[in-house]
Amino acid sequence: SQTIHQWPATLVQPVGSPLSLECTVEGTSNPNLYWYRQAAGRGLQLLFYSVGIGQISSEVPQNLSASRPQDRQFILSSKKLLLSDSGFYLCACHQGGYEQYFGPGTRLTVT
Amino acid sequence: LAKTTQPISMDSYEGQEVNITCSHNNIATNDYITWYQQFPSQGPRFIIQGYKTKVTNEVASLFIPADRKSSTLSLPRVSLSDTAVYYCLPTFSGGYNKLIFGAGTRLAVHP
């Protein structure tokens, strides 16, 4: 089965600082990869998804970006964080079948 | 694209059966219905999936009527550890390759 790794697990960053969250996937190849964000007490918001290396689709215009430099690596970045970027960031993968697997998440607090 | 509607919250007591219904009026012919469970500070995890009629596994049952405009997740004899948010998700909820989560149903199980 597929395993998703995310790091770091928690992160506290000041407003205006850069961000880099990494996600790697094991146990599969050529998966669809996703970044979701969840604000406290809210549902999951799809931020980006990727169907292959270098292919990124953005769902929400914002100061975040994503990249997929390798088949099983997905990176979420920002040049300058905003307070509103605080939340729980989840990486997920989905491949052909109908079950989506999620990573453990990164809790980001922007101060 | 199929939009889902679920109750925002539900309350139950230990040992009771809980049924959570999700409506998805414009579900596509090739859509399966998948239910996920999410605990605080964790990513959602797969519970059950079905296309039509009834599916049962060790955790839950899923009932989907012939018109497939709704589905009901049934949790038998809930315990405190079933307190979580439950999401209903058509496979192609956001179009192919995009999985869009709704707000989910927050289930609280009381002693």
Side-chain angles (χ1 to χ4, degrees), chain B residues 34 36 47 49 54 64 73 77-78 82 90 97:
Chain B
T34 309
Y36 291 85
I47 299 177
Q49 182 184 80
K54 178 181 176 180
I64 304 174
L73 175 73
R77 299 178 299 281
V78 294
D82 292 315
N97 292 323

Side-chain angles (χ1 to χ4, degrees), chain A residues 16-106:
Chain A
S17 64
L19 173 74
S20 181
L21 302 181
E22 188 163 346
C23 166
T24 58
V25 181
E26 292 180 0
T28 186
S29 59
N30 196 31
N32 293 338
L33 297 176
Y34 304 81
W35 279 111
Y36 290 89
R37 177 171 63 196
Q38 188 170 37
R42 307 295 294 274
L44 285 84
Q45 179 187 30
L46 178 62
L47 301 176
F48 301 94
Y49 69 95
S50 171
V51 300
I53 296 174
Q55 301 179 63
I56 308 294
S57 295
S58 174
E59 288 300 297
V60 184
Q62 56 203 331
N63 67 319
L64 299 173
S65 63
S67 62
R68 185 170 177 175
Q70 300 180 45
D71 181 46
R72 290 172 289 178
Q73 183 185 29
F74 205 22
I75 298 172
L76 182 70
S77 304
S78 174
K79 293 182 179 179
K80 289 186 177 181
L81 284 169
L82 306 173
L83 285 175
S84 58
D85 291 324
S86 292
F88 190 47
Y89 287 81
L90 288 159
C91 178
C93 77
H94 183 240
Q95 187 186 30
Y98 305 109
E99 178 178 349
Q100 195 175 31
Y101 294 88
F102 285 83
T106 294

Side-chain angles (χ1 to χ4, degrees), chain A residues 34 36 46 49 59, chain B residues 1 91-100:
Chain A
Y34 304 81
Y36 290 89
L46 178 62
Y49 69 95
E59 288 300 297
Chain B
L1 302 175
T91 309
F92 302 108
S93 55
Y96 190 69
N97 292 323
K98 286 167 54 175
L99 298 178
I100 306 294

Side-chain angles (χ1 to χ4, degrees), chain B residues 24-109:
Chain B
H24 28 78
N25 291 322
N26 57 339
I27 191 173
T29 303
N30 57 348
D31 264 330
Y32 280 67
I33 297 297
T34 309
W35 284 78
Y36 291 85
Q37 175 191 56
Q38 185 182 25
F39 298 113
S41 297
Q42 295 184 27
R45 70 180 187 113
F46 172 89
I47 299 177
I48 197 167
Q49 182 184 80
Y51 185 81
K52 196 183 288 186
T53 64
K54 178 181 176 180
V55 177
T56 299
N57 62 21
E58 65 279 3
V59 177
S61 294
L62 178 60
F63 302 90
I64 304 174
D67 66 7
R68 303 196 340 115
K69 292 185 177 181
S70 66
S71 59
T72 299
L73 175 73
S74 180
L75 305 172
R77 299 178 299 281
V78 294
S79 63
L80 296 177
S81 62
D82 292 315
T83 294
V85 178
Y86 292 83
Y87 298 94
C88 154
L89 192 68
T91 309
F92 302 108
S93 55
Y96 190 69
N97 292 323
K98 286 167 54 175
L99 298 178
I100 306 294
F101 282 73
T105 297
R106 192 171 299 273
L107 173 66
V109 180

